[in-house]
Amino acid sequence: GAVVSQHPSRVICKSGTSVKIECRSLDFQATTMFWYRQFPKQSLMLMATSNEGSKATYEQGVEKDKFLINHASLTLSTLTVTSAHPEDSSFYICSAGRGEQYFGPGTRLTVT
Amino acid sequence: LAKTTQPISMDSYEGQEVNITCSHNNIATNDYITWYQQFPSQGPRFIIQGYKTKVTNEVASLFIPADRKSSTLSLPRVSLSDTAVYYCLVGDNYGGATNKLIFGTGTLLAVQP
């Protein structure tokens, strides 16, 4: 199947700083990618839909100014957590695909 | 998007067949049913997808009755490595332009020796 990668796999940052997470589709082009957040022992929660060449669509309750999404090419979407706080610590996962969705391995963000 | 209901958890032993049932009473005509597997600290992995009747691949079978209001994922002869969370999702995402997936609670399958 198709491969979706994420970088970094884990990151630790200090409160108030910004962190960028990359999501890449390695062997296919993706006009649409999705970003999820998962807290321990909980299900995945869809945060936003990343659209190549246009603005992202955010789910209700997700702060668009805090979670900046850029989908500048057909193989790359980035999620930037701005002014991160400890409550932003979570597992962030992206997905891409047409029909069948392929998920990245996830990025563990810890804000201290 | 149709809401799904699954058991929160299930227990099994190695070598047994496990059947996980998912209810999706509001499934739409264009919706497909997809099952994913997730291990801790990993992204979900596609298991199987179907529209009606029965689908089988190398790892699982998916049974869908005629009314499509439920589906059953069947895992033959599970092993310890099948311990994971299994998610059932429905949506108009098979070959479509948008593939927004809303995850339910999932089923935590614990396989014991």
Side-chain angles (χ1 to χ4, degrees), chain A residues 31-32 34 36 38 42-46 49 59 91 93 97-106 108, chain B residues 36 38 40-46 49 87 93-106:
Chain A
T31 56
T32 304
F34 299 91
Y36 300 83
Q38 185 174 34
Q42 293 187 21
S43 183
L44 284 77
M45 184 192 78
L46 179 65
T49 302
E59 295 299 304
F91 192 54
I93 307 169
R98 284 177 290 176
E100 178 181 331
Q101 281 291 295
Y102 300 95
F103 287 82
R108 175 75 59 191
Chain B
Y36 288 87
Q38 187 183 28
S41 297
Q42 294 185 26
R45 183 177 74 98
F46 174 90
Q49 184 178 72
Y87 293 98
N93 63 345
Y94 189 77
T98 58
N99 305 286
K100 185 172 170 177
L101 296 177
I102 305 298
F103 283 76
T105 59

Side-chain angles (χ1 to χ4, degrees), chain B residues 2-86:
Chain B
K3 179 180 177 180
T4 60
T5 303
Q6 305 173 232
I8 296 296
S9 64
M10 293 182 68
D11 293 321
S12 182
Y13 292 94
E14 281 192 293
Q16 289 188 332
E17 177 184 81
V18 171
N19 296 308
I20 306 174
T21 298
C22 177
S23 297
H24 27 79
N25 292 318
N26 298 321
I27 189 169
T29 302
N30 295 331
D31 285 343
Y32 280 74
I33 301 156
T34 311
W35 286 79
Y36 288 87
Q37 175 192 55
Q38 187 183 28
F39 297 111
S41 297
Q42 294 185 26
R45 183 177 74 98
F46 174 90
I47 300 175
I48 197 166
Q49 184 178 72
Y51 184 81
K52 63 180 180 180
T53 62
K54 176 184 175 182
V55 179
T56 297
N57 61 22
E58 63 275 10
V59 298
S61 294
L62 178 60
F63 299 93
I64 306 168
D67 65 6
R68 305 201 325 122
K69 292 184 183 297
S70 67
S71 59
T72 299
L73 174 71
S74 181
L75 304 172
R77 297 180 300 281
V78 295
S79 64
L80 295 176
S81 62
D82 292 317
T83 294
V85 178
Y86 293 82

Side-chain angles (χ1 to χ4, degrees), chain A residues 20-25 28-35 48-58 67-80 94-97 101, chain B residues 97:
Chain A
K20 180 184 287 187
I21 302 170
E22 294 184 348
C23 176
R24 292 182 185 273
S25 56
F28 66 99
Q29 294 182 332
T31 56
T32 304
M33 293 183 175
F34 299 91
W35 287 96
T49 302
S50 174
N51 304 299
E52 188 269 336
S54 64
K55 292 183 178 180
T57 305
Y58 292 82
F67 299 99
L68 301 180
I69 291 174
N70 187 326
H71 195 149
S73 78
L74 288 172
T75 59
L76 174 64
S77 175
T78 60
L79 169 68
T80 301
C94 69
S95 75
Q101 281 291 295

